[in-house]
Amino acid sequence: MLRITVTENALEERWILQGRLTKRSVAELVSNWRASTAKPSPRCRIVDLNEMTSIDKSGEEVLSMMIHDGATFVATGVYTKHLLDQLQARQTDQKPLD
């Protein structure tokens, strides 16, 4: 099960994800994320992963999409921080050279 909490203030839109980010739960997150990013916003989008218990390959794909969309991540777990580092490195490797 995945719980998504979004809080907003003048400076940021904070997405707090709790639980399991798996194939069964990614559709709702993607739908909400796309709806949010469809509207231009001056606020930065922060995704808090401190309460995540597991992330599968489908979850990794969603996090990659969020990285691509410019999200900033908060994570204290060793595995989650390592996973984010890997996903961000893949984004950098995929960017075309000018």
Side-chain angles (χ1 to χ4, degrees), residues 3-96:
R3 180 176 182 181
I4 304 166
T5 305
V6 181
T7 60
E8 300 177 18
N9 64 36
L11 300 175
E12 70 181 32
E13 181 177 305
R14 183 172 292 261
W15 292 65
I16 301 168
L17 306 182
Q18 299 169 296
R20 302 168 52 99
L21 187 53
T22 63
K23 187 175 185 176
R24 296 180 67 194
S25 61
V26 296
E28 181 181 359
L29 178 57
V30 169
S31 175
N32 287 314
W33 183 259
R34 287 288 177 222
S36 172
T37 59
K39 301 173 275 182
S41 174
R43 295 179 290 220
C44 63
R45 289 183 174 90
I46 299 171
V47 180
D48 184 333
L49 301 177
N50 285 324
E51 308 263 343
M52 293 303 305
T53 57
S54 68
I55 301 169
D56 72 3
K57 291 293 181 192
S58 297
E60 289 179 18
E61 291 173 10
V62 174
L63 294 178
S64 289
M65 173 194 70
M66 295 168 114
I67 290 168
H68 182 265
D69 289 346
T72 301
F73 290 87
V74 175
T76 55
V78 174
Y79 169 75
T80 307
K81 287 168 58 174
H82 175 72
L83 175 62
L84 288 171
D85 288 343
Q86 286 184 323
L87 294 175
Q88 289 171 338
R90 284 187 210 156
Q91 288 285 326
T92 302
D93 292 344
Q94 291 176 358
K95 289 185 180 175

